[in-house]
Amino acid sequence: MNAVAGPQATVRRVVVVLLLAIAVTIAAVGVAGLLERMLRAGDPLAGSDTTGLALSLAFALVGVPLAGLLWWLLWRRLDEPGEREAPSWGLYLLLARTVSLAVASVALAEWAAAAIRGRWLEAELSIGLAWAAVWVWHAWMSRRAGRAPLRLAEAPAVVGAAWGLLLWAGGSVGALGALVDAAVGSWAVAGIAGGSWWTSVAVALPWVALGLAAWWWHDRVDGALAARTAFADVVRVLVGIAAAAGAALYGVGFVLWVLLRLAFDRSEPAAETLADLGDGVALALVGTLVWRLYRRRLEGRDAPVRRAEHLAVAGVAVIATAIGIGVTVNGGLAALVPAPLAGDAPSTTLLAGLAALAVGAPVWWLAWRPMRPIPPEEAASTGRRVFLVVVFGVSALVALVSLLVIGYRLFVVLLEGAAAGELLDEVRAPLGWLVATVLVSTYHFAAWRTDRRVAPTAPERRGVREVLLVAGGDVDASARALSERTGARVTARRRVDIETAPDAASLIEAVERSDASRLLLVAGEQGVESVPLAE
């Protein structure tokens, strides 16, 4: 049987996977409700809720058979041409595996943490088991030979590894923070948890264990570590570099702020100042560990990936620097306002700004290196140009909003006839943001103009200007590499009969030795065939 081509097949695939997703959700909710009642078999109150029992029975007895039927209709057609290639199949597995993994891991971690405290949460355990079964089922489908999707094949593993990493990092911050608080003599965290400090550490361990297991399985077994697609690189840079660097900088800045308050701000007892030190130390250590791990993984990668890593760090650092400038201006103006208006300790705000500035500015300088000459190929790169435009645009927007807030508060104070101290107290916060964002937007706009002079936006080319690439494997990544190196506009089409991506060097060589302005490249097992096309 041949697959139906055209819009009809696309609509059919979308409808089937959408109905399957709804049926799986209904079935999981129903099964979780029935499991919860089974776990509460000894509770007489559990049997009195007939409405809840009826709802769980309806969801389970309707959702499970319907999900099975829809799955069979979808599964039996996956050996037909175009079915595994369809984006809907890969997108469905990505969403189903991500949602089921997130729900199951959070529910099981909450159940285990509550059990350590002496509470038995049947609802969380039943939800975790039901959605874990959903995840196992879809993970099996993703790895089934001859049925796995050809598009977004690596995406569930990449997203699952990122989720496991975040889960592990959150649990590690909680456990390590409690240990540090205990070491410095602060019992605030243990008091909130309702037990001693070791209880706070113990309740974080399920999050650490589940996160580490999810990260290791997706990373090493499911292939996230070996993925070399653009999607995988984006997730690595966002989670392993940007998020980790942000956590590390925030943690270091927070610790520095606590130390500055101990040295220069006596507005509160030292025990209260040290109460949250553990979270800052834990964020700094865990963030630095993850940042270092993923930075080592990106070593030796292509220039665009390495450039994206530096831009991510520079972006996080410039945010920290802008916050530092804004809060420092705010705290400095607060020192000029009488204490009843600005608060009891305006120096606390000033020290927070100085701490953020002391952490963000050096990291930005090292990541961005503003004094070095920019090579033309870097100035012409899409990533750098997008970064400059985004930073300039966002900072300009924040500056505009800050200016509007200043104007609004200025007119309110003037119309009410308030004193000058009240006026300064009203506008100091948005004025700080205005100063910071004006500086950031001005610099990045100037850098963007400098890059345009170094590398024109559309350099004139005499060789190949347009390439139609037909290849196997991750054809989009091959097209990006080819366009980055040759400057040609590349349109990619994937071959379904070849799984291996062509060698980038052979593609570049085929383009460089051609004199045609338009070129067809067909990459196969015997090499790359170059066909010149008419204008």
Side-chain angles (χ1 to χ4, degrees):
M1 183 187 302
N2 294 328
V4 180
Q8 179 182 346
T10 302
V11 173
R12 171 183 56 78
R13 296 175 188 129
V14 171
V15 170
V16 171
V17 297
L18 182 61
L19 291 176
L20 179 57
I22 296 173
V24 168
T25 303
I26 293 173
V29 172
V31 170
L34 294 179
L35 283 176
E36 181 183 358
R37 290 183 170 274
M38 292 175 61
L39 295 173
R40 292 182 178 178
D43 186 0
L45 296 179
S48 60
D49 185 13
T50 56
T51 302
L53 176 59
L55 187 63
S56 297
L57 286 171
F59 273 42
L61 296 179
V62 173
V64 172
L66 180 59
L69 175 62
L70 291 170
W71 171 79
W72 178 76
L73 292 174
L74 176 65
W75 192 254
R76 69 188 183 92
R77 302 186 67 122
L78 286 176
D79 58 346
E80 299 177 2
E83 293 297 319
R84 293 175 61 199
E85 176 75 15
S88 56
W89 177 227
L91 183 61
Y92 166 75
L93 286 179
L94 170 62
L95 295 178
R97 286 186 55 177
T98 302
V99 172
S100 59
L101 175 66
V103 175
S105 56
V106 170
L108 291 175
E110 289 181 348
W111 167 77
I116 293 174
R117 294 193 182 104
R119 299 172 55 201
W120 186 261
L121 302 180
E122 296 87 353
E124 279 70 16
L125 179 57
S126 60
I127 292 173
L129 292 176
W131 283 98
V134 173
W135 177 83
V136 170
W137 181 34
H138 286 83
W140 171 80
M141 284 190 279
S142 298
R143 297 172 61 86
R144 181 74 171 179
R147 295 292 193 276
L150 296 178
R151 293 192 180 185
L152 296 175
E154 82 297 334
V158 172
V159 175
W163 171 256
L165 183 67
L166 294 175
L167 209 64
W168 169 84
S172 299
V173 168
L176 187 58
L179 286 174
V180 174
D181 283 329
V184 299
S186 173
W187 299 89
V189 176
I192 293 173
S196 58
W197 65 268
W198 63 266
T199 305
S200 300
V201 175
V203 296
L205 293 181
W207 301 88
V208 175
L210 286 172
L212 186 60
W215 175 75
W216 178 85
W217 193 90
H218 289 92
D219 198 58
R220 300 304 177 95
V221 179
D222 210 21
L225 179 61
R228 290 294 183 267
T229 62
F231 179 83
D233 289 334
V234 169
V235 173
R236 290 189 187 105
V237 170
L238 289 180
V239 178
I241 302 297
L249 293 183
Y250 178 84
V252 173
F254 188 87
V255 172
L256 180 58
W257 179 51
V258 171
L259 297 179
L260 290 175
R261 288 162 62 197
L262 287 174
F264 302 105
D265 185 4
R266 301 294 183 178
S267 61
E268 61 183 21
E272 295 184 11
T273 303
L274 292 171
D276 298 325
L277 180 64
D279 290 339
V281 174
L283 274 173
L285 293 178
V286 174
T288 302
L289 177 62
V290 176
W291 183 7
R292 217 176 139 75
L293 171 64
Y294 275 80
R295 186 178 181 184
R296 290 185 61 183
R297 287 189 171 188
L298 294 178
E299 290 179 355
R301 299 297 306 278
D302 296 338
V305 178
R306 296 289 297 163
R307 193 176 297 124
E309 174 202 347
H310 293 294
L311 291 177
V313 176
V316 173
V318 80
I319 293 174
T321 305
I323 292 175
I325 295 173
V327 177
T328 299
V329 173
N330 184 3
L333 294 177
L336 304 177
V337 180
L341 295 176
D344 296 333
S347 60
T348 303
T349 304
L350 178 61
L351 293 177
L354 292 175
L357 193 58
V359 172
V363 175
W364 174 81
W365 187 275
L366 293 175
W368 186 254
R369 293 179 291 173
M371 302 303 294
R372 69 183 176 95
I374 305 299
E377 60 272 12
E378 182 177 349
S381 65
T382 303
R384 181 180 171 91
R385 291 185 175 183
V386 170
F387 174 82
L388 290 173
V389 171
V390 169
V391 173
F392 166 73
V394 172
S395 56
L397 179 61
V398 175
L400 177 60
V401 173
S402 302
L403 188 60
L404 291 175
V405 173
I406 291 174
Y408 166 74
R409 293 184 177 181
L410 175 63
F411 286 116
V412 168
V413 172
L414 292 178
L415 292 174
E416 292 179 353
E422 295 184 14
L423 173 61
L424 185 59
D425 187 53
E426 287 291 330
V427 302
R428 59 187 175 87
L431 184 59
W433 289 116
L434 179 62
V435 172
T437 51
V438 165
L439 290 176
V440 171
S441 61
T442 301
Y443 170 79
H444 286 85
F445 179 72
W448 176 73
R449 288 180 63 97
T450 302
D451 285 359
R452 292 194 64 183
R453 290 194 298 268
V454 173
T457 303
E460 183 180 355
R461 287 183 46 86
R462 292 186 177 181
V464 179
R465 297 192 303 270
E466 184 177 354
V467 176
L468 175 59
L469 174 63
V470 181
D474 187 5
V475 66
D476 293 330
S478 301
R480 282 190 299 273
L482 186 61
S483 178
E484 183 82 19
R485 179 64 181 270
T486 64
R489 184 177 63 186
V490 182
T491 303
R493 292 293 182 267
R494 188 179 184 281
R495 296 182 60 167
V496 297
D497 59 334
I498 296 179
E499 298 287 343
T500 305
D503 180 50
S506 61
L507 296 177
I508 296 171
E509 181 183 357
V511 172
E512 291 179 346
R513 69 169 179 257
S514 177
D515 295 329
S517 59
R518 302 180 72 228
L519 195 64
L520 168 64
L521 294 183
V522 181
E525 297 179 354
Q526 305 299 325
V528 179
E529 181 182 358
S530 174
V531 181
L533 302 176
E535 289 289 344

